[in-house]
């Protein structure tokens, strides 16, 4: 089981799906207890503070480590679903009434439907919908990993803008580990996915001379084992299904982890697809209804992030860092937060309009 990964947010309608599944308590029990986000300068001094719930802040109500979340979902479903680890699909052959799947170990089996939830770099997607899918590269790489927690680490996320277009955030992880989310500009997405030496070299290059937080990461990098590294890209698919094959989550509509909305989108997509399969006798009608309902929601999330915004967030010069810090201070100020904060009435509207979950019961 791939239980790696760092902090993920479960937002809006995603929280409602968790509630419907009866898993809210389990999720809350694993909450990382992050209190908010502080922006720091290169010497580690606080520039701006965004407590949990602030407009523009990072911290959501449901903050959980990706691995803990995967474990909660696994425990809740393991008695009713058959899980097979260490295998993947190598071939698909659709007939009128079934789809024949070949697995890595040579096993061949028939299924009614294939639901592809393989994430951003799905390989099965490439077998069926390669021509209909494109990855939109945002001009930056992302890396997530853990470093040893220090006594001075508190329950706040700490973010630093480094010159050269590096954006680093340290977040509370476990009692022994602090999580690192790091992104840096790179014109081309050209690093081989399976070249750990090239990846670490790029990370070092992006971290060198970027201040105290970066120095701490460099010191710990040698012993980092589980690290996620890849281009920051969105998945745009002109259709989400073909025949008996359908995609959900990042495989179909990844908005990039930078939006903090990929997990909610994946949960909502899974909920609606399940509901529509239950409601419709015909799988084509179910897939059509699922895409019609979820696509506007997924695309709205994708529109929140674009390559220009990423370039703006990853300032390159020390002058740019200075301007970014002024903006962070102004944005975090009491008066601006008060102006931007939605009223209680708008808040209710937002949660509801975020996505209106159909009732399938
Ligand atoms: C290792 C990892 C770490 C991550 N860390 C973070 C993070 O720190 N912060 C963040 O915001 N987002 C992170 N993400 C992305 C985040 O989990 C997703 O955006 C979100 O949860 C949507 O979930 P998903 O199920 O669609 O895709 P994912 O969470 O990517 O899950 C896809 C799953 O499919 C498996 N898989 C892939 N290819 C195949 C295949 N061919 N056959 C069988 N299985 C396959 C993967 O191993 C993975 O378990 C991470 C994803 C991964 C895989």
């Amino acid at each position: 089981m791939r239980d790696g990964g760092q902090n993920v947010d479960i937002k809006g309608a995603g929280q409602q799906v968790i509630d419907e599944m009866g898993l809210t308590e389990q999720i809350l029990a694993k909450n990382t207890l992050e209190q908010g986000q502080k922006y720091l300068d290169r010497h580690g001094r606080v520039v701006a503070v965004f407590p949990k719930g602030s407009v523009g802040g990072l911290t959501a109500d449901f903050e959980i480590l990706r691995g803990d979340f995967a474990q909660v979902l696994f425990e809740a479903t393991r008695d009713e679903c058959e899980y097979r680890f260490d295998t993947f699909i190598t071939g698909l052959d659709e007939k009128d009434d079934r789809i024949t799947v070949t697995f890595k170990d040579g096993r061949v089996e028939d299924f009614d439907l294939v639901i592809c939830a393989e994430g951003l770099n799905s390989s099965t997607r490439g077998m069926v919908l390669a021509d209909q899918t494109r990855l939109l590269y945002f001009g930056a790489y992302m890396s997530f990993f853990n470093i040893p927690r220090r006594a001075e680490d508190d329950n706040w996320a700490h973010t630093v803008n480094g010159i050269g277009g590096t954006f680093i955030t340290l977040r509370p992880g476990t009692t022994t580990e602090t999580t690192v989310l790091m992104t840096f500009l790179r014109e081309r997405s050209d690093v081989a996915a399976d070249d750990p030496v090239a990846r670490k070299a790029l990370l070092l290059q992006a971290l060198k001379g970027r201040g105290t937080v970066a120095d701490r990461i460099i010191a710990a990098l040698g012993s980092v084992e589980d690290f996620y590294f890849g281009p920051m890209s969105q998945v745009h698919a002109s259709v989400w299904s073909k025949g008996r094959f359908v995609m959900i989550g990042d495989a179909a509509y990844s908005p990039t982890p930078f939006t903090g909305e990929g997990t909610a989108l994946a949960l909502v997509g899974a909920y609606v697809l399940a509901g529509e399969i239950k409601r419709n006798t015909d799988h084509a009608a179910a897939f059509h209804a699922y895409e019609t309902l979820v696509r506007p929601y997924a695309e709205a999330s994708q529109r929140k992030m674009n390559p220009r915004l990423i370039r703006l967030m990853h300032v390159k010069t020390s002058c740019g860092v200075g301007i970014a810090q002024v903006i962070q201070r102004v944005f975090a100020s009491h008066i601006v937060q008060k102006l931007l904060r939605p009223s209680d009435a708008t808040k209710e509207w937002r949660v509801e309009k975020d996505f209106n979950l159909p009732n399938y019961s």
Side-chain angles (χ1 to χ4, degrees):
M1 181 159 166
R2 289 204 66 181
D3 58 357
Q6 278 65 40
N7 316 51
V8 293
D9 309 332
I10 309 173
K11 290 183 175 158
Q15 288 180 13
Q16 289 173 31
V17 175
I18 291 296
D19 222 29
E20 294 260 339
M21 292 178 79
L23 296 177
T24 301
E25 264 179 46
Q26 286 95 311
I27 299 286
L28 285 177
K30 300 275 184 185
N31 194 315
T32 59
L33 302 176
E34 189 172 283
Q35 288 175 279
Q37 181 184 21
K38 291 178 184 171
Y39 278 88
L40 309 180
D41 68 12
R42 57 175 287 115
H43 305 292
R45 291 179 301 228
V46 177
V47 171
V49 180
F50 291 84
K52 184 173 175 170
S54 304
V55 181
L58 185 70
T59 313
D61 288 341
F62 282 47
E63 289 287 347
I64 187 167
L65 296 182
R66 185 185 174 280
D68 286 344
F69 184 40
Q71 199 68 46
V72 168
L73 293 180
F74 176 59
E75 292 302 332
T77 52
R78 64 187 299 174
D79 292 340
E80 288 166 40
C81 303
E82 184 192 336
Y83 281 87
R84 295 182 197 168
F85 294 103
D86 196 25
T87 191
F88 54 85
I89 295 174
T90 56
L92 291 171
D93 182 20
E94 180 158 348
K95 318 255 169 38
D96 280 348
D97 59 344
R98 71 202 123 105
I99 183 160
T100 304
V101 176
T102 308
F103 292 95
K104 180 187 82 168
D105 55 12
R107 252 207 257 196
V108 179
E109 282 172 63
D110 286 340
F111 294 91
D112 292 323
L113 306 171
V114 169
I115 298 172
C116 173
E118 291 178 359
L120 186 68
N121 296 308
S122 166
S123 55
T124 311
R125 176 184 65 207
M127 294 177 200
V128 185
L129 291 170
D131 291 342
Q132 290 81 356
T133 310
R134 110 193 131 93
L135 293 187
L136 175 63
Y137 179 56
F138 272 22
Y141 266 74
M142 320 177 288
S143 188
F144 313 133
F145 49 93
N146 297 330
I147 57 173
R149 192 178 166 98
R150 286 187 181 168
E152 69 264 25
D153 288 348
D154 54 18
N155 275 344
W156 286 77
H158 294 109
T159 300
V160 193
N161 279 102
I163 54 165
T166 305
F167 195 83
I168 307 167
T169 303
L170 300 189
R171 301 183 79 174
T174 63
T175 48
T176 55
E177 285 175 322
T178 288
T179 67
V180 179
L181 290 89
M182 198 185 137
T183 50
F184 56 94
L185 294 179
R186 185 170 175 81
E187 223 161 274
R188 295 176 312 279
S189 104
D190 55 358
V191 186
D194 54 357
D195 186 348
V197 181
R199 292 158 160 198
K200 279 206 178 169
L202 271 180
L203 281 183
L204 275 176
Q205 195 185 321
L207 286 164
K208 230 171 175 180
R210 306 290 187 250
T212 49
V213 172
D215 290 345
R216 171 180 171 186
I217 300 172
I218 292 176
L221 205 56
S223 50
V224 170
E225 280 164 17
D226 171 29
F227 84 110
Y228 178 89
F229 185 97
M232 189 192 289
S233 305
Q234 277 188 346
V235 176
H236 291 263
S238 57
V239 286
W240 294 351
S241 64
K242 187 175 176 188
R244 294 179 173 271
F245 175 88
V246 63
M247 308 186 293
I248 55 172
D250 274 9
Y253 38 78
S254 171
T256 77
F258 235 70
T259 61
E261 294 183 355
T263 306
L265 287 183
L267 283 167
V268 167
Y271 173 93
V272 173
L273 179 63
E276 293 301 332
I277 290 173
K278 182 184 166 194
R279 182 185 271 176
N280 290 277
T281 42
D282 170 35
H283 66 273
F287 294 173
H288 178 72
Y290 148 70
E291 186 170 334
T292 305
L293 281 167
V294 180
R295 185 179 276 280
Y297 176 54
E299 289 184 347
S301 172
Q302 292 191 317
R303 277 194 297 273
K304 289 180 195 163
M305 209 43 81
N306 60 59
R308 224 173 123 229
L309 196 57
I310 292 298
R311 276 198 303 277
L312 272 176
M313 290 170 81
H314 292 72
V315 284
K316 284 186 176 166
T317 58
S318 41
C319 173
V321 172
I323 294 170
Q325 289 175 353
V326 171
I327 296 172
Q328 286 151 9
R329 267 196 204 103
V330 171
F331 213 68
S333 67
H334 184 63
I335 191 152
V336 172
Q337 283 292 318
K338 209 172 155 196
L339 280 173
L340 293 177
R341 190 161 299 135
S343 66
D344 283 348
T346 347
K347 234 187 232 164
E348 267 170 36
W349 183 87
R350 274 192 178 181
V351 172
E352 251 171 44
K353 296 292 172 188
D354 161 24
F355 186 83
N356 227 336
L357 277 188
N359 184 351
Y360 293 111
S361 54

